[in-house]
Amino acid sequence: MPIKVLAFAGSPRRHGNSETLLDWVLDTMQREPGVEVEKHALTDITIAPCKGCNACEKLNTCIQKDDLVWVEQKIIDADIIILSAPIFCMGICAQAKALIDRAQVFRSRKFVLKLPIVPPDRKGKRIGIFLSSAGQDWDYVFDAAIPSVKCLFHVIDVKNKDIRYLMVNNVDEKGAIYKHPRAERDAHALAHEVIATMREMKGDVA
């Protein structure tokens, strides 16, 4: 069975620092045999903010019929889910946060309706990756984003131990990531590690 990778470029600025991190990871992953990569820029699809109506607790679906209708199924089908997003004003950018908030439908399914997110044979066999960049050079600049990201992965059945992070600060202007001494190398290494781990999870180890 192929390894399915679903990636979201969350920044409103296309091909900036966080998306470059994502592209480095995906470039390495798609060179691996048996890996299928699908990437979507959140600026190119419509995922409206959550209305907080809690209708999904009864309907098992969101009442807003935008691109989440098909994105939801792709999230379920993926083995590896990647979100890249920059930090704006000490938090994750609005486009990525909208996706996270709309994952309320998974929370309702899992905790209110007591329905599975993935089939039993796929539980514990998913990996989530968060890639981020920030202009500030503070060591705490990513602290506010991490709980939101963990929440997203938790409700889609990615265990905390199976979340990976690559977060690079002090890269402000577009293209600054290319001057970072370790970012590209770390992105490629992360991709190799995650694919190897997923093969082990699937029992596909030579």
Side-chain angles (χ1 to χ4, degrees):
M1 293 292 290
I3 293 174
K4 295 183 179 181
V5 180
L6 178 64
F8 296 102
S11 177
R13 180 173 70 174
R14 291 303 314 274
H15 310 297
N17 296 314
S18 65
E19 189 172 353
T20 298
L21 272 178
L22 176 62
D23 289 340
W24 284 334
V25 169
L26 296 182
D27 181 64
T28 298
M29 286 184 168
Q30 63 191 4
R31 293 173 187 272
E32 293 275 353
V35 176
E36 298 177 357
V37 170
E38 184 172 349
K39 173 187 170 184
H40 297 280
L42 295 183
T43 54
D44 293 340
I45 61 180
T46 301
I47 297 181
C50 177
K51 292 180 178 293
C53 65
N54 289 328
C56 56
E57 293 186 354
K58 296 180 180 179
L59 302 176
N60 190 27
T61 188
C62 184
I63 62 171
Q64 300 187 77
K65 300 308 175 187
D66 55 16
D67 286 318
L68 188 70
V69 171
W70 57 266
V71 166
E72 176 185 338
Q73 188 58 50
K74 289 185 178 293
I75 290 173
I76 292 169
D77 293 341
D79 299 302
I80 300 168
I81 303 96
I82 309 175
L83 176 63
S84 71
I87 300 300
F88 287 180
C89 296
M90 300 305 295
I92 198 166
C93 68
Q95 291 77 12
K97 188 59 164 61
L99 174 64
I100 292 171
D101 289 348
R102 289 289 295 284
Q104 179 79 351
V105 68
F106 294 110
R107 172 258 175 197
S108 296
R109 187 173 303 164
K110 184 174 183 177
F111 296 109
V112 178
L113 299 173
K114 308 298 183 182
L115 296 172
I117 303 301
V118 296
D121 64 322
R122 292 185 59 222
K123 286 184 71 68
K125 298 178 181 179
R126 310 186 87 197
I127 296 176
I129 301 175
F130 178 55
L131 308 170
S132 190
S133 61
Q136 296 88 349
D137 196 24
W138 308 321
D139 57 3
Y140 55 85
V141 70
F142 299 104
D143 288 1
I146 292 174
S148 292
V149 171
K150 284 187 174 182
C151 181
L152 168 66
F153 288 131
H154 180 54
V155 298
I156 63 172
D157 272 356
V158 176
K159 294 182 177 181
N160 192 54
K161 70 179 182 63
D162 296 323
I163 304 173
R164 306 290 191 272
Y165 303 91
L166 178 53
M167 301 175 291
V168 181
N169 60 355
N170 200 26
V171 285
D172 195 7
E173 71 276 6
K174 188 174 183 178
I177 196 79
Y178 290 101
K179 301 175 184 177
H180 193 277
R182 301 181 311 277
E184 184 173 7
R185 180 188 63 197
D186 290 348
H188 295 314
L190 174 64
H192 283 303
E193 184 273 321
V194 166
I195 294 300
T197 300
M198 180 53 63
R199 293 196 195 282
E200 292 178 2
M201 287 179 169
K202 284 175 165 284
D204 181 22
V205 180

